[in-house]
């Protein structure tokens, strides 16, 4: 009977094992085994297991019950298990079922995605900016969501904020710029997310003109007012509306009527030398420029009325000696040059306190191969003015003699390579109409002058030497840059951008040199943050115009420099000047040359003699880095 039962159990159990499995949340694996029941039913079933190549230990079943399914827990991930089932009835036990095996897979937790908001950027105001989060990734899945949010700076509107790449337009900012910050949140297909941030620095553009007055915001004291751009006395009222621009107690209209300077506080001066100050004359409504019983000096005498020999482009105009019957001192001389014999169109109109009987015409004022007329008058210490001298003429040398054989406005010896792109806009300077570049004769670098405002044409540029400048307190790296502009359609001002092929020091400043008063810092200028350009506003006949007259032409030797700290503690320096001799000679005109020696007595109205401190390896009295 026992043998028959054992055989019965063995035969019915040979193909009953079916296996399923699962994984618990505790990072350990579970497996469920199922098999067909024996018929007739035995007392129960036993489950045995082994790992790998081990043998079954039939003395120790893993599970025993009368069910036909069981779940085994606590299995180790990555280990291969083998299972068999046996039926038993009392001490009788069947053979093994078919063997099944199971290897629990390792449970991998979801990895959060990596948000990458892209590199920090620096952009000009008004430009289109792209926020690029396409570098974000998810190592175990995919990114299904992007969200850009602004977290700091002037408020802007983000386009496509829910995309990998979003965009916006950089806002118009103040002179110091603004910093905008953004965060990017990315979400993966398992719901995990991460955040990254990026920064966009918005810089003030040198060409932005919000109020459309042709004065860039970087130079405009009133960038939102098209009728104002300057405030000479810094009282908060623009010069066009302010009745007293220098705040000296005398109205601008009154000062202009009597030839006083409305931008300089000259209230304590005595223009006519009568012992009464200009302010007292204003309060008494009297003429501040003519003292009672003053006799004007004699008109200057010039030998000859025509100059046959051709002269260079920086000739010296010479008059006879000064004479005043009242013995008043020689205070000023007014020099005029014109292409018309009646002086209806003035090329130069300069009144100088130092160039009294000899006047050196500055660089870039005259054109080659041109006939000019000139005259001069004397002004005494009590502001008495003589009659004009005789009108005399001279003819300048031809263009090829002047060193510009191709007549392109750039000296032949200073022409740059055709591929030069000093303003770094991707187009060679030679292919652009609004920029000219030269190789400097000092410092071995390249400087370009670019017009920024409308109705302005750049006609010539030239690198000038600094050797003849008597005042050495201002150090220059590669000389001076002179340029000439023509203004059209009634334009009164011109904005230019001077580019340097090498970064200039952070403490560099724009300087001008006035023969009568020496070196002065040119305040109306804005340096780019990268140190490779400076933007300056010039006024026809005003600051920065060599010819001293509103005539549609601006002539400006320009550049940058720094003050020698061993020479002066002040940013504004005075050369002390040297007056031309008042006596001797009655020469008509010095033939001069078109070289740079004439710079030792440059005219006084608004000449900018500016040097640029540039170039690795340039050594000055003070060691200043160009970084």
């Amino acid at each position: 009977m026992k043998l028959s039962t054992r055989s019965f159990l063995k035969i019915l159990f040979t193909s009953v094992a079916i296996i399923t499995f699962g994984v618990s949340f505790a990072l350990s694996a579970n497996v469920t085994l199922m098999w067909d029941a024996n018929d007739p039913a035995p007392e129960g079933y036993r489950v045995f297991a082994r790992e790998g190549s081990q043998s079954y230990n039939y003395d120790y079943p893993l599970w025993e019950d009368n069910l036909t399914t069981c779940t085994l827990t606590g299995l180790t991930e990555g280990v291969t298990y083998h299972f068999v089932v046996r039926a038993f009835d009392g001490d009788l036990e069947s053979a093994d079922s078919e063997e099944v095996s199971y290897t629990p897979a390792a449970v991998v937790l979801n990895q959060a995605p990596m948000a990458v908001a892209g590199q920090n950027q620096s952009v000009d105001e008004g430009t289109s900016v792209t926020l690029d989060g396409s570098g974000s990734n998810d190592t175990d899945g995919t990114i299904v969501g992007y969200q850009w949010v602004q977290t700091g700076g002037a408020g802007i509107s983000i386009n496509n904020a829910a995309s990998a790449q979003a965009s916006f337009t950089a806002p118009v900012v103040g002179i110091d710029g603004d910093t905008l910050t953004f965060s990017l949140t990315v979400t993966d297909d398992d719901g995990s997310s991460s955040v990254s941030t990026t920064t966009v620095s918005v810089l003030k553009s040198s060409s932005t003109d919000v109020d459309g007055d042709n004065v860039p915001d970087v130079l405009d004291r009133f960038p939102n007012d098209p009728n104002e751009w300057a405030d000479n006395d810094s009282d908060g009222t623009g010069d066009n509306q302010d009745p007293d621009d220098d705040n000296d107690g005398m109205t601008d209209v009154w000062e202009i009527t009597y030839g006083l300077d409305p931008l300089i506080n000259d209230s304590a001066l005595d223009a006519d030398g009568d012992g009464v100050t200009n302010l007292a004359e204003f309060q008494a409504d009297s003429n501040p420029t003519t003292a009672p019983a003053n006799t004007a000096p004699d008109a200057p005498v010039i030998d000859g009325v025509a100059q046959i020999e051709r002269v260079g482009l920086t000739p010296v105009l010479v008059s006879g000696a000064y004479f005043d019957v009242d013995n008043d001192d020689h205070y000023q001389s007014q020099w005029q040059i014109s292409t018309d014999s009646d002086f209806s169109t003035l090329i130069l109109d300069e009144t100088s306190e130092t160039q009294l009987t000899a006047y050196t015409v500055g660089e870039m004022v005259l054109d080659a191969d041109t006939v000019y007329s000139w005259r001069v008058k004397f002004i005494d210490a009590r502001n008495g003015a003589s009659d004009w001298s005789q009108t005399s003429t001279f003819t300048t040398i031809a263009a090829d003699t002047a060193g510009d054989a191709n007549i392109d406005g750039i000296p032949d010896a200073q022409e740059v390579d055709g591929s030069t792109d000093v303003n770094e806009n991707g187009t060679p300077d030679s292919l652009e109409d609004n920029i000219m570049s030269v190789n400097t004769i000092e410092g071995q670098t390249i400087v370009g002058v670019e017009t920024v405002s409308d109705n302005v044409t750049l006609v010539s540029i030239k690198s000038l030497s600094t050797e003849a400048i008597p005042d050495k307190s201002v150090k220059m790296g590669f000389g001076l840059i002179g340029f000439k502009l023509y203004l059209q359609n009634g334009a009164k001002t011109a904005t230019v951008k001077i580019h340097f092929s090498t970064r200039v020091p952070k403490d560099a400043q724009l300087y001008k040199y006035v023969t009568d008063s020496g070196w002065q810092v040119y305040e109306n200028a804005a340096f780019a943050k990268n140190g490779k350009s400076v933007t300056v506003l010039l006024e026809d006949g005003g600051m920065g115009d060599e010819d001293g007259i509103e005539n549609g032409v601006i002539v400006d030797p320009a550049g940058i420099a720094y003050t020698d700290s061993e020479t002066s503690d002040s940013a504004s320096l005075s050369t002390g000047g040297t007056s031309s001799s008042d006596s001797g000679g009655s020469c008509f005109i010095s033939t001069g040359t078109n070289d740079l020696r004439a710079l030792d007595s440059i005219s006084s109205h608004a000449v900018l003699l500016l040097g640029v401190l540039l170039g690795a390896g340039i050594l000055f009295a003070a060691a200043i880095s160009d970084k």
Side-chain angles (χ1 to χ4, degrees):
M1 184 64 181
K2 291 184 178 180
L3 290 176
S4 175
T5 303
R6 181 181 295 273
S7 175
F8 169 76
L9 291 175
K10 183 186 296 184
I11 293 171
L12 291 181
F13 200 72
T14 55
S15 59
V16 296
I18 300 174
I19 185 169
T20 63
F21 57 89
V23 180
S24 74
F25 291 104
L27 302 184
S28 62
N30 304 333
V31 64
T32 298
L33 303 176
M34 294 180 293
W35 56 90
D36 293 332
N38 278 24
D39 187 15
E43 180 181 342
Y45 303 93
R46 297 188 179 109
V47 176
F48 300 92
R50 66 182 179 87
E51 297 180 14
S53 61
Q54 297 175 358
S55 299
Y56 290 107
N57 187 342
Y58 295 109
D59 292 331
Y60 296 98
L62 287 183
W63 178 88
E64 181 177 312
D65 206 324
N66 60 359
L67 302 176
T68 58
T69 179
C70 74
T71 298
L72 304 176
T73 62
L75 303 184
T76 303
E77 298 167 356
V79 175
T80 299
Y81 295 90
H82 303 275
F83 303 96
V84 293
V85 180
R86 289 186 173 185
F88 70 91
D89 199 343
D91 59 354
L92 297 179
E93 188 174 78
S94 73
D96 292 345
S97 68
E98 293 179 2
E99 184 179 60
V100 293
S101 61
Y102 169 53
T103 304
V107 177
V108 179
L109 291 179
N110 178 52
Q111 299 296 312
M114 176 179 290
V116 179
Q119 297 292 323
N120 295 338
Q121 304 180 61
S122 291
V123 301
D124 285 339
E125 60 186 356
T127 58
S128 178
V129 183
T130 297
L131 300 172
D132 190 355
S134 59
S136 304
N137 61 86
D138 185 21
T139 58
D140 63 348
T142 58
I143 296 177
V144 297
Y146 296 85
Q147 187 62 54
W148 291 94
V149 176
Q150 183 182 6
T151 58
I156 52 89
S157 177
I158 302 177
N159 302 316
N160 300 318
S163 301
Q165 290 186 326
S167 65
F168 67 92
T169 299
V172 175
V173 296
I175 190 67
D176 295 327
D178 196 3
T179 299
L180 313 184
T181 56
F182 300 88
S183 69
L184 169 64
T185 301
V186 298
T187 305
D188 68 11
D189 51 354
D190 285 313
S192 295
S193 63
S194 67
V195 179
S196 178
T197 61
T198 191
T199 296
V200 178
S201 297
V202 183
L203 309 178
K204 188 67 184 175
S205 172
S206 62
S207 60
T208 299
D209 180 15
V210 172
D211 56 15
D213 58 5
N214 285 324
V215 179
D217 293 348
V218 293
L219 305 176
D220 198 334
R221 294 290 296 274
F222 305 91
N224 297 310
D225 185 350
N227 299 313
E228 296 287 355
W229 55 82
D231 183 11
N232 183 68
D233 55 9
S234 300
D235 63 356
T237 302
D239 289 349
N240 292 332
Q241 175 136 16
D242 194 340
D244 183 8
D245 287 341
D246 52 13
N247 202 27
D248 61 359
M250 302 178 293
T251 65
D252 297 340
V253 172
W254 187 84
E255 290 195 69
I256 293 172
T257 298
Y258 293 108
L260 302 182
D261 192 336
L263 300 179
I264 297 176
N265 187 340
D266 49 7
S267 60
L269 300 182
D270 180 10
D272 55 13
D274 62 356
V276 181
T277 66
N278 295 338
L279 179 59
E281 298 260 22
F282 170 75
Q283 293 169 338
D285 197 21
S286 58
N287 190 334
T289 60
T290 303
N294 179 40
T295 301
D298 291 352
V301 176
I302 299 175
D303 286 349
V305 295
Q307 177 72 25
I308 299 176
E309 180 183 3
R310 291 198 177 220
V311 301
L313 299 182
T314 57
V316 180
L317 311 181
V318 181
S319 77
Y322 169 83
F323 178 77
D324 187 303
V325 70
D326 297 337
N327 293 318
D328 294 321
D329 290 337
H330 190 174
Y331 174 50
Q332 293 174 321
S333 291
Q334 183 177 358
W335 305 85
Q336 289 186 344
I337 300 177
S338 176
T339 52
D340 302 314
S341 59
D342 62 357
F343 292 83
S344 57
T345 300
L346 291 178
I347 301 302
L348 178 140
D349 186 7
E350 284 286 348
T351 301
S352 175
E353 297 178 13
T354 58
Q355 301 189 84
L356 298 177
T357 58
Y359 180 85
T360 302
V361 181
E363 290 279 355
M364 316 293 291
V365 172
L366 305 180
D367 294 326
D369 202 19
T370 305
V371 177
Y372 292 99
S373 297
W374 73 278
R375 62 187 181 181
V376 60
K377 71 166 55 173
F378 293 151
I379 303 170
D380 66 20
R382 289 193 288 168
N383 214 36
S386 72
D387 293 331
W388 286 108
S389 68
Q390 295 173 287
T391 297
S392 294
T393 62
F394 62 87
T395 304
T396 53
I397 56 179
D400 55 351
T401 307
D404 185 16
N406 60 359
I407 318 179
D408 65 351
I410 303 174
D412 300 334
Q414 299 174 12
E415 297 273 4
V416 299
D417 184 87
S419 63
T420 297
D421 181 19
V422 73
N423 62 358
E424 300 179 349
N425 67 350
T427 302
D429 300 341
S430 59
L431 300 181
E432 297 188 82
D433 294 333
N434 65 329
I435 185 171
M436 290 183 177
S437 300
V438 294
N439 287 306
T440 61
I441 59 177
E442 297 178 7
Q444 294 78 50
T445 191
I446 296 175
V447 174
V449 175
E450 177 183 11
T451 59
V452 176
S453 54
D454 296 331
N455 300 312
V456 178
T457 301
L458 176 64
V459 295
S460 59
I461 184 174
K462 186 177 183 181
S463 173
L464 309 173
S465 172
T466 61
E467 293 182 359
I469 303 299
D471 184 353
K472 305 300 182 183
S473 60
V474 174
K475 303 299 182 182
M476 301 182 181
F478 51 77
L480 314 172
I481 301 298
F483 53 91
K484 178 182 284 189
L485 307 171
Y486 287 165
L487 280 63
Q488 297 92 27
N489 299 323
K492 303 298 183 183
T493 61
T495 302
V496 299
K497 197 173 189 179
I498 305 172
H499 296 272
F500 323 120
S501 60
T502 306
R503 183 179 294 106
V504 302
K506 292 182 179 180
D507 60 354
Q509 291 180 294
L510 197 58
Y511 275 79
K512 64 177 180 178
Y513 180 85
V514 179
T515 303
D516 289 347
S517 56
W519 290 106
Q520 296 177 4
V521 175
Y522 197 97
E523 301 291 352
N524 196 15
F527 282 85
K529 286 191 175 182
N530 65 4
K532 297 193 72 176
S533 67
V534 60
T535 302
V536 60
L537 174 67
L538 305 173
E539 182 180 356
D540 188 14
M543 188 70 69
D545 189 1
E546 165 79 5
D547 58 35
I549 183 70
E550 184 180 319
N551 59 356
V553 180
I554 294 178
V555 178
D556 180 28
I560 68 167
Y562 76 95
T563 305
D564 185 348
S565 59
E566 295 182 358
T567 303
S568 172
D569 293 330
S570 173
S572 297
L573 306 175
S574 174
T575 62
T578 303
S579 300
S580 304
S581 173
D582 282 14
S583 61
S586 57
C587 299
F588 157 62
I589 185 171
S590 170
T591 59
T593 65
N594 69 329
D595 61 17
L596 303 170
R597 290 174 292 175
L599 286 172
D600 60 355
S601 57
I602 292 176
S603 59
S604 65
H605 181 71
V607 183
L608 300 182
L609 296 182
L610 310 170
V612 184
L613 176 59
L614 287 176
I618 297 177
L619 300 179
F620 299 105
I624 293 187
S625 168
D626 64 355
K627 300 297 183 183

